[in-house]
Amino acid sequence: MARNPRRDLLAGLTVAIVALPLALGFGVSSGLGAEAGLATAVVAGALAALFGGSNLQVSGPTGAMTVVLVPIVARYGPGGVLTVGLMAGVLLIALALLKAGRYMRYIPAPVVEGFTLGIACVIGLQQVPNALGVAKPEGDKVLVVTWRAVEEFVRTPNWTAVILAVAVAAVMLLGARRHPTVPFSIVAVIAATLAAQLLHLDAAAPIGELPSGLPTPSLGFLDLSTLGSLLAPAVAVAALAALESLLSATVADGMTVGQQHDADKELFGQGIANLAAPLFGGVPATAAIARTAVNVRTGAGSRLAALTHAAVLAAIVFAAAPLVSKIPLAALAGVLLATAIRMVEVGALRAMVRATRSDAIVLVLTALATLALDLVYAVIIGLAVAGALALRAVADQVRMDQVDFKADLPGEHSEEEHSLLSEHIVAYRIDGPLFFAGAHRFLLELSEVADVRVVILRMSRITTMDATGALVLKDAVQKLNRRGIAVLTSGIRPGQRQALQSVGALDLLQREGREYVTTPEAIAGARAYLHHSGVLPAAPVTEEASR
């Protein structure tokens, strides 16, 4: 399985050292406790590595998932979170079987950057109570909880917790700049724990007692009567797990040469992991971009590295639970504060904001929605706004230009003849998509045509046409006909023909005999119509037509 087992084992050990404080911190932040974070890292980490679609992916509890879980815990309790994880696992497997992985690539980059920025802000705000050394206030809105925590700190300051949190975050951020390969998170946490024990810092509340091992698998938390009310949260968790996992796998592919993930298999692996983790008391899991990046940078080449990471964490659970239980909560808060800060890539954000005004709007709205609402609503809002702006941009591409039809006149003509025809015939070439977003502007332009007897529409360059575009075209033809202007078309493609047929526009053109395959044929038809109407003299037309 591994081309270089020794290198994979070393990479797995390194990732485990980085993952330990993160698993503990995210477990605490989710509301289910540090033991839930460890169980998730061990169980989901191993199963996602075995059944997933990426050789380099590392899975476990993540900050993005924590953001979604906090309101679920507040409303439904720990049992509700475990049930949601189980249901999300089923949904992820269903997505894999439906081969939905390919569609995740269509999420625009500004949406991804926007909710990453929003997640970073929420993760940072979630750490404020532990960083300030106060009990977490009631509530499921992070801004409200943060404000209440600050108010409590003002009444009863706990500077010990603040100093520990700031020190741990500073060590991680400053140390990573000078020695990026050193796992400063575990170094800082160990130093903070030793300081709290040796200096008897009672104000630095520890994690508390942890079980020496994983609990026995159980479905005791499952209440079938709650499944209906938990479906919406489960869909949100499954959507986030799919999105973050496939994004992480794409990042991992980009950091290596020759690695390519299987999107549907990755969804299946995440589904299996989320089915199993709740049985052991674990929170819903997803692939972790930061841990995956560490895995790749330390030389991992196969799934053995992610499996080693899970095995090392399992050994810690069984052998070192008493020591881990003494870690101050403020130290874990410092780890997650630093993690949140490192999630924000200023260069990428600056480039995205400067790209176009639309990209900037989508990014900012997605970030604000993540902060004020929740992540799933944020993604939906971001996609809706991005889609609307994209439609507007595409709609602006449709053009209707008047063109000289001299080059397409059948036969030879004098300038006088051409001028005479130009007085009565006008030709327009339509370029781009004719669909609902821009069709009405087209109708206004076409309806303003005046002082001619025949309009020729050259339609071969229309890239797409929907029912709205076809209906608008039909309305324009009817309006011009009522004004005594005949409308002829050329170059209608099969796809356009179907849309025109659906609204009766094609029947209208064919009934009048005004649909032509080529532009020269349409011009000849226009001249015949003008001759029949008595607008053009008979002789020149007959001579030209005989050639």
Side-chain angles (χ1 to χ4, degrees):
M1 181 174 65
R3 288 173 293 180
N4 193 331
R6 186 174 180 179
R7 189 171 58 185
D8 285 333
L9 291 171
L10 179 60
L13 176 62
T14 304
V15 175
I17 293 172
V18 172
L20 176 60
L22 294 174
L24 296 170
F26 289 136
V28 171
S29 295
S30 70
L32 270 70
E35 62 272 19
L38 281 174
T40 305
V42 173
V43 177
L47 291 175
L50 282 173
F51 296 101
S54 171
N55 293 327
L56 307 173
Q57 195 98 282
V58 178
S59 299
T62 64
M65 190 61 75
T66 301
V67 171
V68 176
L69 296 180
V70 169
I72 299 175
V73 175
R75 183 171 181 181
Y76 301 102
V81 172
L82 300 180
T83 303
V84 164
L86 201 67
M87 296 171 68
V90 174
L91 292 173
L92 285 167
I93 292 175
L95 288 174
L97 296 177
L98 293 172
K99 299 188 180 301
R102 72 191 77 172
Y103 298 109
M104 294 298 172
R105 72 186 69 172
Y106 296 114
I107 296 181
V111 175
V112 175
E113 293 292 342
F115 82 68
T116 301
L117 174 61
I119 288 168
C121 294
V122 173
I123 292 173
L125 292 173
Q126 284 177 344
Q127 310 317 309
V128 170
N130 285 335
L132 297 179
V134 302
K136 183 179 178 181
E138 294 293 327
D140 59 354
K141 296 297 183 183
V142 67
L143 292 173
V144 174
V145 171
T146 301
W147 179 255
R148 291 174 179 171
V150 172
E151 289 181 330
E152 180 63 26
F153 177 80
V154 171
R155 286 193 293 268
T156 56
N158 183 347
W159 293 107
T160 300
V162 173
I163 291 171
L164 283 178
V166 172
V168 169
V171 168
M172 287 182 61
L173 295 173
L174 297 177
R177 287 186 176 184
R178 301 188 66 178
H179 304 285
T181 59
V182 177
F184 280 101
S185 58
I186 196 70
V187 172
V189 167
I190 291 173
T193 305
L194 290 175
Q197 294 298 310
L198 295 176
L199 300 176
H200 304 289
L201 302 177
D202 297 332
I207 290 175
E209 185 177 355
L210 292 174
S212 297
L214 296 175
T216 304
S218 171
L219 279 172
F221 60 86
L222 187 61
D223 182 358
L224 297 179
S225 65
T226 64
L227 295 183
S229 60
L230 291 173
L231 180 59
V235 171
V237 168
L240 175 59
L243 179 62
E244 189 171 12
S245 296
L246 295 181
L247 177 63
S248 176
T250 302
V251 171
D253 290 347
M255 296 176 66
T256 59
V257 177
Q259 293 282 356
Q260 186 68 38
H261 73 279
D262 183 326
D264 296 317
K265 189 176 179 182
E266 180 60 29
L267 291 179
F268 180 80
Q270 294 297 331
I272 295 295
N274 279 283
L275 273 178
L279 305 181
F280 295 88
V283 296
T286 179
I289 296 177
R291 276 157 273 176
T292 299
V294 171
N295 194 40
V296 175
R297 283 198 298 263
T298 49
S302 77
R303 300 167 191 264
L304 179 60
L307 288 170
T308 301
H309 138 270
V312 171
L313 291 178
I316 292 173
V317 171
F318 283 99
L323 297 176
V324 173
S325 65
K326 298 182 185 300
I327 296 175
L329 289 172
L332 293 181
V335 171
L336 298 187
L337 283 170
T339 301
I341 292 171
R342 290 164 66 174
M343 286 177 66
V344 180
E345 297 184 10
V346 178
L349 291 175
R350 186 184 293 116
M352 200 68 64
V353 169
R354 290 177 176 176
T356 66
R357 182 179 298 178
S358 297
D359 289 333
I361 291 172
V362 171
L363 190 152
V364 171
L365 282 179
T366 306
L368 291 176
T370 303
L371 193 59
L373 302 173
D374 66 47
L375 204 150
V376 176
Y377 280 125
V379 172
I380 292 173
I381 290 172
L383 288 175
V385 174
L389 293 174
L391 283 175
R392 189 184 70 174
V394 172
D396 288 342
Q397 293 178 5
V398 64
R399 296 175 54 192
M400 188 178 71
D401 298 322
Q402 183 175 345
V403 294
D404 188 356
F405 55 83
K406 183 176 181 180
D408 295 311
L409 278 172
E412 298 178 1
H413 305 273
S414 65
E415 288 297 328
E416 291 78 11
E417 290 172 330
H418 180 255
S419 298
L420 180 62
L421 291 173
S422 298
E423 290 179 6
H424 304 289
I425 303 173
V426 63
Y428 289 101
R429 183 179 62 225
I430 307 172
D431 289 300
L434 186 60
F435 70 126
F436 70 93
H440 293 286
R441 178 168 59 85
F442 165 80
L443 173 62
L444 291 175
E445 291 182 15
L446 189 56
S447 299
E448 291 176 357
V449 174
D451 300 327
V452 295
R453 299 296 300 272
V454 180
V455 171
I456 297 175
L457 299 179
R458 300 173 59 176
M459 301 175 61
S460 61
R461 295 192 183 183
I462 296 179
T463 55
T464 185
M465 179 188 294
D466 66 356
T468 303
L471 192 60
V472 164
L473 180 63
K474 178 184 177 182
D475 290 342
V477 170
Q478 290 175 330
K479 286 184 178 182
L480 291 173
N481 287 345
R482 284 195 292 269
R483 291 168 50 198
I485 301 174
V487 180
L488 284 63
T489 62
S490 68
I492 297 177
R493 294 200 226 168
Q496 303 165 11
R497 188 176 298 277
Q498 183 177 356
L500 292 168
Q501 182 67 55
S502 67
V503 299
L506 191 62
D507 291 339
L508 173 65
L509 294 170
Q510 291 178 338
R511 185 169 61 248
E512 300 289 337
R514 295 173 180 173
E515 186 213 345
Y516 297 89
V517 177
T518 66
T519 301
E521 291 176 344
I523 295 172
R527 295 176 64 193
Y529 170 79
L530 293 175
H531 168 59
H532 181 74
S533 302
V535 176
L536 294 182
V541 175
T542 303
E543 291 177 4
E544 299 292 344
S546 65
R547 293 176 180 174

